[in-house]
Amino acid sequence: DIIGQTNNQAIQVLSASSCVTFPGFDASSLPKWSRNRCVAQIERAKEFIAQSDKIVLAGKWTYMHRGKNFIQGFRQFLEDTGRQNKEVVVLAQVPMFTSDMQRMQRFSSLGLPTDISIDERWLPANNLIANEVRIYPHAKFLDLSGELFFRDAPFFKDEIIYKDFHHLNEVGAK
């Protein structure tokens, strides 16, 4: 919303649990409870992709890249959008933690010990996706994890920016 307002652009978010909503994403690798919703959002995404010049794609790459058909579908998506002259920005996965950050904040406020440690698995997953994206001139990989904002993650200016161990909360998203 903030990016759209700042740039005077209409932005549509299409999301479903455990899903990366691009045509060619293999929803059969997902848990049964999330498949139908994912497929429905992918169908909606097709309509928006056809009308859009720019597409921003985000996902939990540590989870997604392990699917047996993920990389093949991802490459096909990038090839198709390249032929259609679409600009694609693939967002890096944000740093992950080994514990739920909201819970750690509650423990800390109660004077209980906390263990805030980074789960390093997001780094190789980001590298894998970045290497795939680099092949396609119309696509860019955007990794903000090195920015000042994430220096003290899971906090920024002493305010918690995570909802759990890998999702940003509203403060973090803004």
Side-chain angles (χ1 to χ4, degrees):
D1 189 41
I2 293 169
I3 292 170
Q5 288 179 20
T6 301
N7 296 296
N8 198 27
Q9 295 176 322
I11 296 175
Q12 177 67 44
V13 176
L14 300 173
S15 176
S17 185
S18 304
C19 181
V20 184
T21 51
F22 66 83
F25 178 76
D26 181 16
S28 70
S29 65
L30 298 179
K32 286 185 180 183
W33 58 266
S34 65
R35 288 181 195 161
N36 290 342
R37 181 76 177 192
C38 180
V39 169
Q41 289 297 77
I42 290 169
E43 288 304 311
R44 284 192 68 213
K46 288 178 184 178
E47 297 171 30
F48 283 97
I49 290 169
Q51 304 167 14
S52 303
D53 297 327
K54 295 180 185 178
I55 301 153
V56 178
L57 198 61
K60 184 180 175 191
W61 307 126
T62 54
Y63 175 68
M64 294 301 153
H65 81 279
R66 295 184 309 216
K68 64 179 181 171
N69 299 318
F70 177 80
I71 293 297
Q72 179 183 350
F74 186 59
R75 286 176 181 160
Q76 187 64 56
F77 167 74
L78 291 171
E79 288 172 17
D80 291 346
T81 53
R83 280 193 296 276
Q84 299 165 14
N85 296 315
K86 310 278 184 191
E87 180 182 345
V88 177
V89 177
V90 179
L91 298 178
Q93 179 178 327
V94 298
M96 287 180 19
F97 295 89
T98 58
S99 304
D100 181 310
M101 293 300 102
Q102 294 287 332
R103 186 171 289 146
M104 291 300 103
Q105 186 180 37
R106 285 187 207 109
F107 288 173
S108 178
S109 71
L110 295 171
L112 299 171
T114 58
D115 179 26
I116 297 177
S117 56
I118 292 180
D119 181 340
E120 299 289 341
R121 293 178 298 164
W122 64 278
L123 290 167
N126 272 349
N127 289 336
L128 174 79
I129 299 302
N131 288 335
E132 290 295 327
V133 171
R134 282 188 193 103
I135 297 168
Y136 302 92
H138 71 287
K140 295 177 182 134
F141 187 77
L142 180 59
D143 185 356
L144 300 174
S145 65
E147 298 297 320
L148 176 66
F149 176 76
F150 284 109
R151 187 185 69 207
D152 296 322
F155 301 98
F156 180 69
K157 296 182 179 180
D158 296 324
E159 194 167 358
I160 193 158
I161 58 173
Y162 278 77
K163 181 174 107 176
D164 54 22
F165 69 99
H166 67 101
H167 287 102
L168 295 176
N169 62 19
E170 188 174 348
V171 172
K174 284 182 182 177

